Amino acid sequence: MTKSAASLIAVLLASPAAGAVTFTVPSKAGIGGYAYAPLDPAPIGISFEFFAFPSYFTNVTGTNQCLANWKALTGVWPPIRIGGTTQDRAQYDAATSAYVVYSVASAADAPASLTFGSKFMTLASTYGGSVVLGLNRGKNNIDNTIAAAKVAVAEMSDNLLAIELGNEPEYWKSDGQPIASGTWTPATDAASQNNWDISVGSAIGKTSIIQAGNSNSAPPTWGAQELIATENATVKQYIATYAHHNYPGGTIQSLMTHATTVTNIHVFDADIAAALAVGKPYVFGETNSVSGGGAAGVSPTFGAALWTMDYSLRATYSNMSRTYFHHGTVGNCQYCFWGRYSMGAPYYGATAAIALMAGAKYLTALDSGITNYAAYAAFDSAGAPLRVLLYNSDYFNGSGTRSSQSFTLTGLTASSNVKAKRLTAASALSRVDQGGNPSFGGQYFNNGTCTIGGTETYEAAAVSGGQVTFTVKATEALLVYLQ
């Protein structure tokens, strides 16, 4: 008997055990005392560092395939955002025929200054999904930014979702950006944003076109709630979305712990509520595990993959419309989901989260958010339960015995078996570039190309009396299909 066959039989014979974590799946969205979040068709996207964007789409083979894999799940291309620190180092040059022009001492460096031409926006226009484009406010050259924005509107008529005016302005004073040469506080930045929003929006003849905020400091300071309080009706007509950045950091164990993730997302509750109160979506416009391109001992690991999954789902459940995971310098990016040669383990976690939400209309969390055990349920357009994702965030580093946890789902209407796909790896420390491939439903993503390898494998379990039990090992997740 093969190992996989033995595992399948073990699952089929599983019965509710002492200590099982039990979650009741509502028979319909909107009932059961749970909070329900409406779902964007593609809630998880990618942020590309401004100067590196052309390279990702012209020199990195995996980019289009990795994005296409997600489109195959949801039916729509995932959203992308182009921006980051180098957007405020970039000046538009109408005369250049290049995407970007810069020089660096090492290929691993980000440029201190750069120029870009209309070809940059032409490349962005070829993408099949929505694009948020970040432009320079730090240099305080509004005429140059308006010139670039006009080209963006003309070239990207089919996919331009919003324009950012500046990236993480709280750091501009220490970075020596000209716009922050005098007094620079959240209040002076808000006044600057408001003036630029009106000037750029009116110059390009577009309302609902600005992605505002874009700070990284934890709210309330530099947050959307604080910014919105300074805006009048004239400014608000130009706002499409409010965005914030977030890099939780920490060890692998702390990062992937479910209760820690829930606590981190709660920091943004007031900001989200303030944006929704004025009828605007709220997004994580740039985020990932550890700032500065990631930490080598944390960001490429399977533990970070599970954090990516849990974090994006908790953000979505908290009414964030989209989460853009940042990709920095090609070849010097520990948290990147893919590169020229190796896949990153976090891509697996994001894919599992997308697989839960694909084609769904509502999402809820079934757990309290205070333990290591999570359960998310997605519902279809008719409100019927579609899938449930179970997550055991107990930490396993590969040493000793790997513990497991039984999860019992009750309230099910299925009268026969349900099936599931397991997201697993050897341990939380597993890294693709060190030979530690995760698998999702028995499949993996090939290095360099992001094509799918392996045979798709479902586990099955019998529903009895409206309930079913699955066993999930420490540092694993399981996606259960109810339809």
Side-chain angles (χ1 to χ4, degrees):
M1 181 182 295
T2 65
K3 182 177 180 181
S4 59
S7 298
L8 178 57
I9 289 173
V11 172
L12 287 167
L13 295 178
S15 58
V21 177
T22 301
F23 297 109
T24 299
V25 179
S27 60
K28 192 174 183 65
I31 68 171
Y34 298 106
Y36 293 82
L39 290 178
D40 187 272
I44 298 175
I46 300 294
S47 166
F48 294 99
E49 184 61 42
F50 190 92
F51 87 95
F53 159 69
S55 187
Y56 273 103
F57 276 83
T58 61
N59 296 322
V60 180
T61 302
T63 297
N64 283 309
Q65 185 62 52
C66 282
L67 296 169
N69 290 341
W70 291 354
K71 179 183 183 291
L73 288 171
T74 65
V76 296
W77 287 97
I80 67 170
R81 173 257 188 177
I82 303 166
T85 301
T86 56
Q87 81 183 63
D88 282 299
R89 301 175 184 175
Q91 299 271 31
Y92 175 62
D93 179 2
T96 185
S97 60
Y99 297 119
V100 288
V101 179
Y102 62 87
S103 61
V104 289
S106 165
D109 294 340
S113 64
L114 65 147
T115 59
F116 64 102
S118 61
K119 193 175 179 181
F120 187 98
M121 278 76 89
T122 303
L123 178 62
S125 75
T126 65
Y127 182 61
S130 69
V131 181
V132 173
L133 177 65
L135 297 176
N136 193 327
R137 181 161 58 95
K139 297 297 184 191
N140 204 22
N141 187 344
I142 194 167
D143 290 339
N144 185 266
T145 297
I146 286 174
K150 286 181 176 179
V151 175
V153 168
E155 291 289 323
M156 302 168 63
S157 58
D158 293 332
N159 66 351
L160 180 64
L161 180 64
I163 292 171
E164 288 181 1
L165 297 173
N167 177 83
E168 299 178 0
E170 67 267 47
Y171 305 131
W172 289 349
K173 186 76 172 179
S174 59
D175 288 347
Q177 289 284 13
I179 202 168
S181 59
T183 300
W184 194 249
T185 65
T188 52
D189 171 61
S192 169
Q193 284 204 50
N194 295 341
N195 289 333
W196 278 60
D197 294 347
I198 294 170
S199 296
V200 174
S202 60
I204 61 178
K206 293 278 188 181
T207 55
S208 298
I209 192 63
I210 303 298
Q211 181 153 292
N214 310 304
S215 296
N216 186 52
S217 298
T221 304
W222 297 97
Q225 184 180 34
E226 190 176 64
L227 177 62
I228 290 167
T230 72
E231 296 173 340
N232 60 25
T234 303
V235 177
K236 287 177 182 174
Q237 69 179 318
Y238 292 108
I239 306 300
T241 50
Y242 291 93
H244 209 89
H245 299 178
N246 189 37
Y247 290 88
T251 64
I252 298 173
Q253 183 171 6
S254 66
L255 185 71
M256 64 173 278
T257 297
H258 177 59
T260 304
T261 295
V262 172
T263 298
N264 177 244
I265 295 295
H266 276 315
V267 170
F268 301 90
D269 287 349
D271 259 19
I272 297 168
L276 296 180
V278 294
K280 306 293 183 181
Y282 188 93
V283 305
F284 271 149
E286 179 187 316
T287 192
N288 219 310
S289 54
V290 184
S291 62
V298 176
S299 301
T301 67
F302 183 63
L306 292 171
W307 166 80
T308 301
M309 175 197 72
D310 191 26
Y311 175 79
S312 55
L313 291 175
R314 201 74 194 189
T316 304
Y317 165 68
S318 297
N319 287 304
M320 291 195 198
S321 293
R322 292 177 297 280
T323 301
Y324 297 86
F325 287 93
H326 198 51
H327 283 50
T329 307
V330 177
N332 188 24
C333 185
Q334 297 290 344
Y335 54 45
C336 280
F337 289 4
W338 64 84
R340 286 198 180 103
Y341 309 110
S342 293
M343 292 298 299
Y347 183 76
Y348 289 77
T351 300
I354 290 169
L356 169 69
M357 296 186 287
K361 295 298 181 182
Y362 309 98
L363 180 75
T364 191
L366 304 178
D367 65 275
S368 64
I370 60 174
T371 74
N372 280 4
Y373 311 118
Y376 298 93
F379 299 80
D380 65 19
S381 58
L386 186 60
R387 307 176 195 99
V388 172
L389 186 137
L390 305 174
Y391 174 37
N392 180 350
S393 71
D394 287 343
Y395 181 68
F396 179 65
N397 65 3
S399 299
T401 302
R402 191 171 193 169
S403 64
S404 62
Q405 177 63 49
S406 294
F407 288 79
T408 297
L409 300 177
T410 65
L412 304 182
T413 57
S415 57
S416 57
N417 290 351
V418 292
K419 62 183 184 179
K421 291 174 72 170
R422 190 172 297 269
L423 176 64
T424 190
S427 79
L429 306 181
S430 296
R431 291 174 49 155
V432 176
D433 62 346
Q434 295 178 356
N437 259 14
S439 65
F440 178 45
Q443 295 183 302
Y444 55 88
F445 300 97
N446 288 301
N447 289 329
T449 64
C450 205
T451 53
I452 299 173
T455 302
E456 187 172 39
T457 304
Y458 289 93
E459 303 172 19
V463 177
S464 177
Q467 69 180 41
V468 66
T469 296
F470 285 96
T471 298
V472 184
K473 293 179 182 178
T475 311
E476 270 192 349
L478 191 74
L479 178 60
V480 182
Y481 293 76
L482 303 178
Q483 293 184 27

